[in-house]
Amino acid sequence: MQTVIIDSHNEVLLYWIREYCRHKMPLVVVRIDRHHDMFSDCPRLPAKEGSNIFDYFDRMMPEIYEYAKRRLNEGNFTCPAFHYGILGSLYHFDPRKEKIDAYGRVFGGEFLDAPKTRIRSSFAGGKKIDLIEWDGASTRLRKQNGKLVPAPQSIGIRAFEGDLDEICLPVVIGFDLDGLCTTDERELAKRAIEKRLKRVKSLLECISSPVLACIARSQTPRAYVPADMVDELQEAALCLMKRKCQAHYALPIATTGSIREAFQAG
């Protein structure tokens, strides 16, 4: 399993597309994150896709990097991933909670009830802009912060484990460090973070062979994770990933130790 570290979470789209092209099938994403990142109203890629989506992505890779980094944001990057067929389902887990939010489910080699999208055209300065949004005609939506997002199915850990049991689809882990601690939780007790780490560990134990893990530091353009804690939280997340695949990472991470040692001791 490859592990990459990014800053703003929208940068993960490039890695999702690479895995999609490598496996030639949609991904199952398991997201550990405080936020769902399911907002829409994002621009489509600069050129329309042709009949062969994999050739299209191969040609567009330089533009995709700029698209993910500059034209999307940390709240809406999942919508185009569903739109272009890169994702087949997404399981979102906030370690503060017991349940998992499923945006689409996996049954063997099939996907069921993935949120659908549509193109909405608008005009700005006399120029036509095509925006991707969720299709309310075929997807149940709910309103949050004045915006429409897909309504997830709330499932427990056993249902999640059943969905991913003997799965033949590529599974990708996305770990936003704000799932462990956010800037408004700066005074959070270490024991609370350790509890969240153990919940993440239980979730990861349900995944047999993930193909990729992306860790988001979430420092820019807005910091969601306390800057003075981000390196330590990153090392704790890497420790979990290392346990998951029993591999060594060539990342020169400084370790302050307290959270990591407490978790290893537990």
Side-chain angles (χ1 to χ4, degrees), residues 9-266:
H9 210 170
N10 46 290
E11 296 171 22
V12 75
L13 182 65
L14 177 67
Y15 298 95
W16 284 352
I17 291 176
R18 285 177 176 172
E19 291 300 317
Y20 172 61
C21 292
R22 185 162 74 92
H23 294 277
K24 299 292 190 293
M25 61 179 68
L27 309 176
V28 179
V29 169
V30 179
R31 171 180 292 154
I32 301 147
D33 196 332
R34 182 167 189 178
H35 310 99
H36 56 64
D37 297 345
M38 295 291 286
F39 293 122
S40 61
D41 285 340
C42 44
R44 70 187 304 169
L45 279 163
K48 293 184 179 179
E49 64 273 22
S51 57
N52 189 320
I53 192 68
F54 302 111
D55 287 346
Y56 168 74
F57 281 139
D58 185 58
R59 294 194 309 270
M60 290 290 295
M61 203 57 75
E63 287 82 1
I64 289 169
Y65 174 79
E66 290 299 318
Y67 170 76
K69 195 173 180 67
R70 312 292 182 196
R71 303 187 68 200
L72 301 179
N73 60 54
E74 67 275 20
N76 69 5
F77 63 94
T78 308
C79 184
F82 274 109
H83 177 75
Y84 289 105
I86 300 157
L87 302 192
S89 64
L90 185 147
Y91 295 86
H92 169 227
F93 179 58
D94 180 354
R96 298 158 184 79
K97 303 174 182 178
E98 297 289 342
K99 296 290 188 175
I100 298 160
D101 284 339
Y103 297 90
R105 301 279 298 276
V106 176
F107 291 91
E110 303 294 329
F111 296 105
L112 183 66
D113 297 331
K116 302 296 190 297
T117 61
R118 64 185 179 187
I119 295 295
R120 174 172 58 85
S121 296
S122 64
F123 292 86
K127 184 179 179 181
K128 180 182 176 183
I129 301 174
D130 288 334
L131 297 176
I132 305 169
E133 64 180 12
W134 299 114
D135 185 0
S138 56
T139 300
R140 188 166 62 93
L141 303 178
R142 62 188 176 97
K143 184 170 284 190
Q144 183 177 5
N145 299 334
K147 301 177 181 180
L148 291 174
V149 297
Q153 181 180 355
S154 181
I155 63 174
I157 189 73
R158 294 302 163 221
F160 172 74
E161 185 177 22
D163 284 10
L164 270 63
D165 184 39
E166 299 183 2
I167 192 172
C168 57
L169 297 161
V171 179
V172 171
I173 299 169
F175 197 154
D176 193 327
L177 296 179
D178 70 16
L180 298 177
C181 183
T182 53
T183 50
D184 60 346
E185 300 176 313
R186 188 179 298 274
E187 303 304 320
L188 191 67
K190 298 288 186 183
R191 278 180 292 183
I193 297 178
E194 292 159 20
K195 184 177 181 180
R196 292 173 185 177
L197 280 164
K198 289 181 179 179
R199 285 181 173 173
V200 173
K201 179 176 178 289
S202 296
L203 185 84
L204 295 179
E205 287 172 348
C206 300
I207 308 171
S208 58
S209 300
V211 299
L212 174 71
C214 292
I215 297 174
R217 290 169 61 86
S218 293
Q219 296 298 291
T220 57
R222 171 186 168 187
Y224 291 91
V225 182
D228 58 340
M229 296 177 66
V230 67
D231 288 338
E232 187 174 359
L233 295 173
Q234 176 179 294
E235 179 63 14
L238 282 171
C239 180
L240 281 178
M241 298 305 165
K242 191 181 296 184
R243 283 186 171 195
K244 180 63 196 168
C245 66
Q246 296 182 344
H248 296 283
Y249 298 91
L251 296 170
I253 306 299
T255 306
T256 55
S258 58
I259 292 176
R260 182 186 183 192
E261 290 167 5
F263 179 69
Q264 288 176 326

